[in-house]
Amino acid sequence: MALIVQKYGGTSVGSIDRIEAVAEKIAGFRDRGDEVVVVVSAMSGETNRLTALAMEVMDAPTPREMDVLLSTGEQVTIALLCMALEKRGYGARSFTGGQVRILTDSAHTRARIREIDGTRIHAQLEQGDVVVVAGFQGIDDWGNITTLGRGGSDTSAVALAAALEADECQIYTDVKGVYTTDPRVVDSARLLATITFEEMLELASLGAKVLQIRAVEFAGKYRVPLRVLSSFEEGEGTLISLEEELVMEEATIAGIAFERDEAKLTVSGVPDVPGIAYKVIGPVSEAGIEVDVIVQNAAADGSNDITFTVKRRDSEQAREILEKLSASLKARDVSLDKKICKVSLVGVGMRSHAGIAARMFKALADENINIDIITTSEIKISVVVGEKYLELAVRALHSAFELGDPQPAISGN
Ligand code: ADP
Ligand code: ASP
Ligand code: MG
């Protein structure tokens, strides 16, 4: 008998038929004698629908009210899933994040889990019930409902698995596991049987939305065995491996991630003096805007261009901040380009292999793709390119690094 935490994403509970199918799957685990805690997302499209309703009322709703609104999506699916289980003769109890005391900080819309009290869940499991918990939500010290950021149900599941010391956390989604890149962009993307925790962390942080980055962080910190699999088809999925030995056997490149919703700002002609980067970036960060890639180019005439990227939704606000500062910075110009994207190659094997960057740049050059910005770390290389090149760049790199399935005919996804 094992204690398993399972999470079903939006598409997996996107209709009553899908909820019934999930109930069947859970019933199978119960029949084998496993204890099951289930975390569900809202039905697919629901969180977007609720967000759009809020936007009809006002452009910038208060984050507290957004959380009250968005958390309702998951309350619908926990109840429907429990009904589907009860109909089949299985004991089941639904709980909101607040009811099982998923305690978070008060950073509405992007709260972090601080603590989970497993007592109530353990008691319910002892009675032989399936425990169904609303993903994506928690409660702060003052009893306010909080949410964990888009894709946050993954994090709810991993955090619950850590708190309950579960034997495994299974993330059920609409693809068979973690692939070398998004299988919706590259047909020949290959399903990975295992991926190192470090690589998964990097892929998630660079845009692969198959797992929310905080879920991967939790799994690493609390050593939660984590697997991504399909709720639609049988299969072993992908194990996020915490074992060091596996690293040695890994291929040079694990995969390619991309981020569509970035924008690039350039402040040009500022003086090349100490502190200038701070004067440009500081006020943007202080406004709570996350700055991603930064480059600085000094020209022969002693002037400087500073370019950086932010999330597209924050880019107008960043431009306004810089325009207001423009005179005091002695800047020649402030420009914003929203038609960019970031493509990243990730692999722990890069550490021991030279020439990866050159091979990457050649593959992009062969397709006539101009690179705006390059950044590297020990296990990744990212390039910022024009948005229209995204698919082409991902496919070119996928084939240049031979990441595809050797027999795509049977890869299916
Ligand atoms: P869920 O609703 O189940 O949480 P998500 O849409 O959040 O599902 O995440 C699954 C999606 O992630 C897939 O449908 C796929 O398009 C996308 N994806 C991006 N990169 C990858 C990757 N490397 N491997 C698998 N899926 C990926
Ligand atoms: N429903 C939330 C979202 O769409 C949380 C999740 O699905 O993980 O982002
Ligand atoms: Mg998701």
Side-chain angles (χ1 to χ4, degrees):
M1 190 180 83
L3 170 56
I4 304 171
V5 175
Q6 303 186 329
K7 176 256 172 176
Y8 293 91
T11 332
S12 302
V13 293
S15 66
I16 296 301
D17 281 352
R18 288 301 312 153
I19 291 174
E20 301 273 13
V22 166
E24 284 294 324
K25 207 169 183 69
I26 296 166
F29 282 89
R30 287 296 293 136
D31 293 346
R32 283 195 290 276
D34 293 327
E35 290 184 316
V36 191
V37 174
V38 182
V39 173
V40 282
S41 292
M43 294 169 98
S44 54
E46 180 63 5
T47 312
N48 288 345
R49 188 186 73 87
L50 294 167
T51 306
L53 286 179
M55 295 303 143
E56 273 185 48
V57 180
M58 62 192 295
D59 282 345
T62 54
R64 183 188 183 280
E65 298 316 320
M66 272 314 273
D67 280 353
V68 174
L69 177 69
L70 295 191
S71 62
T72 61
E74 274 71 11
Q75 194 166 331
V76 171
T77 44
I78 53 171
L80 292 173
L81 180 58
C82 281
M83 292 173 197
L85 284 163
E86 283 167 352
K87 183 171 83 176
R88 287 168 173 75
Y90 295 86
R93 268 297 166 89
S94 66
F95 296 99
T96 63
Q99 284 173 318
V100 278
R101 311 227 37 89
I102 296 182
L103 286 178
T104 72
D105 60 20
S106 301
H108 285 290
T109 74
R110 53 189 164 88
R112 284 180 180 264
I113 298 177
R114 277 203 193 132
E115 201 185 307
I116 296 182
D117 180 0
T119 327
R120 190 154 182 193
I121 298 179
H122 278 302
Q124 208 68 47
L125 289 172
E126 270 165 35
Q127 290 186 19
D129 286 342
V130 176
V131 174
V132 182
V133 181
F136 178 55
Q137 56 179 259
I139 197 165
D140 74 1
D141 286 341
W142 293 271
N144 297 300
I145 296 172
T146 53
T147 65
L148 310 178
R150 296 305 303 265
S153 298
D154 296 336
T155 304
S156 311
V158 179
L160 273 166
L164 300 169
E165 294 180 18
D167 296 293
E168 185 163 279
C169 181
Q170 304 172 339
I171 306 286
Y172 287 93
T173 183
D174 54 6
V175 289
K176 286 199 265 182
V178 180
Y179 285 73
T180 45
T181 192
D182 189 337
R184 298 187 197 287
V185 170
V186 180
D187 284 343
S188 63
R190 185 167 46 86
L191 179 64
L192 301 166
T194 60
I195 183 168
T196 68
F197 159 75
E198 210 181 348
E199 286 166 330
M200 192 62 241
L201 198 59
E202 203 72 35
L203 284 177
S205 80
L206 294 167
K209 67 170 182 165
V210 62
L211 282 177
Q212 199 199 35
I213 180 160
R214 285 189 193 161
V216 190
E217 285 168 356
F218 255 104
K221 190 166 171 197
Y222 297 100
R223 302 196 71 77
V224 176
L226 183 62
R227 193 177 281 280
V228 179
L229 2 78
S230 166
S231 70
F232 292 77
E233 299 174 64
E234 291 301 313
E236 293 294 299
T238 306
L239 178 70
I240 318 302
S241 167
L242 293 158
E243 303 299 324
E244 303 289 316
E245 309 87 73
L246 266 168
V247 175
M248 309 306 293
E249 295 161 20
E250 275 293 312
T252 315
I253 304 298
I256 300 167
F258 52 84
E259 191 97 66
R260 288 179 201 273
D261 59 349
E262 297 226 342
K264 182 181 77 171
L265 288 131
T266 302
V267 183
S268 46
V270 289
D272 188 15
V273 293
I276 191 70
Y278 171 66
K279 280 189 190 151
V280 172
I281 304 295
V284 176
S285 297
E286 275 154 30
I289 297 174
E290 204 181 305
V291 174
D292 186 15
V293 183
I294 308 173
V295 283
Q296 179 176 318
N297 291 314
D301 68 357
S303 77
N304 232 331
D305 290 351
I306 297 178
T307 301
F308 60 95
T309 64
V310 297
K311 287 267 172 277
R312 212 171 279 177
R313 62 171 180 274
D314 295 330
S315 61
E316 293 289 353
Q317 192 193 347
R319 172 165 55 187
E320 275 168 33
I321 294 170
L322 295 172
E323 271 169 357
K324 277 190 201 135
L325 284 171
S326 171
S328 70
L329 288 171
K330 301 197 179 67
R332 193 167 53 232
D333 186 39
V334 172
S335 65
L336 167 62
D337 182 355
K338 290 190 186 180
K339 295 196 166 145
I340 57 128
C341 65
K342 188 174 73 176
V343 178
S344 310
L345 207 57
V346 172
V348 291
M350 273 187 205
R351 285 197 186 108
S352 48
H353 286 75
I356 303 288
R359 204 163 147 195
M360 179 178 190
F361 303 152
K362 178 172 188 314
L364 297 172
D366 287 347
E367 296 293 345
N368 259 321
I369 299 171
N370 191 43
I371 303 172
D372 282 350
I373 309 178
I374 301 166
T375 58
T376 64
S377 79
E378 253 200 325
I379 67 161
K380 74 117 203 276
I381 305 169
S382 298
V383 291
V384 171
V385 299
E387 181 186 49
K388 65 180 177 200
Y389 296 122
L390 189 139
E391 272 86 5
L392 181 61
V394 173
R395 289 197 190 111
L397 294 174
H398 200 264
S399 92
F401 287 90
E402 294 165 7
L403 300 180
D405 202 309
Q407 289 160 299
I410 58 157
S411 79
N413 48 61

